[in-house]
Amino acid sequence: MNSVLTEKRMLRKEILMRRRHLDRDLIAAESADIAKALFDWSVYRQSDTIMAYAAMADEPQTHLILQHALSEKKKLCIPVIGKAKGTMEAAFIEKLADLVPGKYGILAPDEEKINIAQPDMIELILVPGVAFNLKGQRLGMGAGFYDRFLDKTRNATLVGLALQCQIIAAVPCEDHDYLVDYLATKDGIINCKTGKM
């Protein structure tokens, strides 16, 4: 196994352990601040078609964001595992009740009523991650679903949603790893090209 993969595996284990021990009230408070920062941000306000995700318990919570996007009449799509191994697609939802427990117990669009989005139509993608740095480098869960999906998107602005404990100085990266353009944090939106709010 190459050294970058070893670094990634060790860092993933460390950050996930840190994240899983976070107080739920702290996650809720940071998540509310992240959502507010997004709602005030011109890029979010001007984006008509966005892709978000249903969060796991120890991730920045996205319920408020999903609700807000739908109430603002944005076209909202959510990840769904693709037919081909290791692939992911985005499917539109019209209401939160369209989400059902999917693979890994994560809420996903009901496959009985699936309406797949064209990746290059999506303007803004909220990207989960285990860890991020201020340059936009991201450590995912290791399966590569997002990197493969982002390969098909051409016009989207990528925003990592990050709790404070997920922002670290250095993230091991490989050539195929996608960087995010911005980080949404409890303190505001950070531009990863400048490292500033």
Side-chain angles (χ1 to χ4, degrees):
M1 183 173 283
N2 74 38
S3 61
V4 176
L5 284 178
T6 304
E7 276 183 73
K8 282 182 172 183
R9 201 178 59 212
M10 289 168 64
L11 182 61
R12 188 177 291 115
K13 190 174 174 186
E14 179 193 329
I15 302 289
L16 284 174
M17 192 175 295
R18 195 186 298 176
R19 209 174 74 180
R20 286 168 184 160
H21 284 91
L22 284 177
D23 182 79
R24 290 291 179 259
D25 290 341
L26 176 79
I27 294 174
E30 282 200 37
S31 299
D33 289 340
I34 288 167
K36 183 180 183 322
L38 265 182
F39 303 158
D40 291 343
W41 186 40
S42 60
V43 177
Y44 170 83
R45 288 203 307 267
Q46 290 159 15
S47 296
D48 184 45
T49 304
I50 73 170
M51 179 177 175
Y53 59 94
M56 294 185 287
D58 60 342
E59 290 183 304
Q61 295 302 289
T62 55
H63 190 82
L64 289 174
I65 298 168
L66 302 181
Q67 269 185 327
H68 188 270
L70 290 169
S71 72
E72 292 291 306
K73 304 286 186 264
K74 294 184 185 294
K75 296 184 190 91
L76 175 64
C77 48
I78 302 285
V80 62
I81 302 298
K83 300 274 186 282
K85 184 172 167 46
T87 64
M88 181 175 94
E89 295 178 294
F92 289 110
I93 64 164
E94 291 177 8
K95 52 189 185 301
L96 292 181
D98 291 343
L99 296 172
V100 296
K103 202 165 183 184
Y104 312 116
I106 300 166
L107 289 176
D110 187 344
E111 291 189 19
E112 301 291 310
K113 316 171 203 166
I114 210 102
N115 177 13
I116 298 295
Q118 293 304 316
D120 56 3
M121 288 172 49
I122 305 168
E123 295 160 77
L124 180 68
I125 300 178
L126 307 185
V127 184
V130 174
F132 299 90
N133 69 7
L134 296 182
K135 293 177 187 163
Q137 292 173 319
R138 167 186 171 268
L139 177 69
M141 290 296 280
F145 284 108
Y146 269 85
D147 289 318
R148 280 189 284 274
F149 179 80
L150 294 175
D151 235 8
K152 302 176 201 161
T153 63
R154 292 181 187 82
N155 311 310
T157 299
L158 309 181
V159 186
L161 303 189
L163 299 169
Q164 217 53 40
C165 76
Q166 295 178 273
I167 303 171
I168 60 175
V171 174
C173 261
E174 296 169 277
D175 290 343
H176 63 262
D177 291 329
Y178 268 82
L179 276 63
V180 294
D181 304 303
Y182 296 89
L183 286 180
T185 74
K186 72 179 181 67
D187 298 319
I189 307 290
I190 298 167
N191 182 330
C192 296
K193 288 188 176 57
T194 64
K196 295 177 181 159
M197 298 276 177

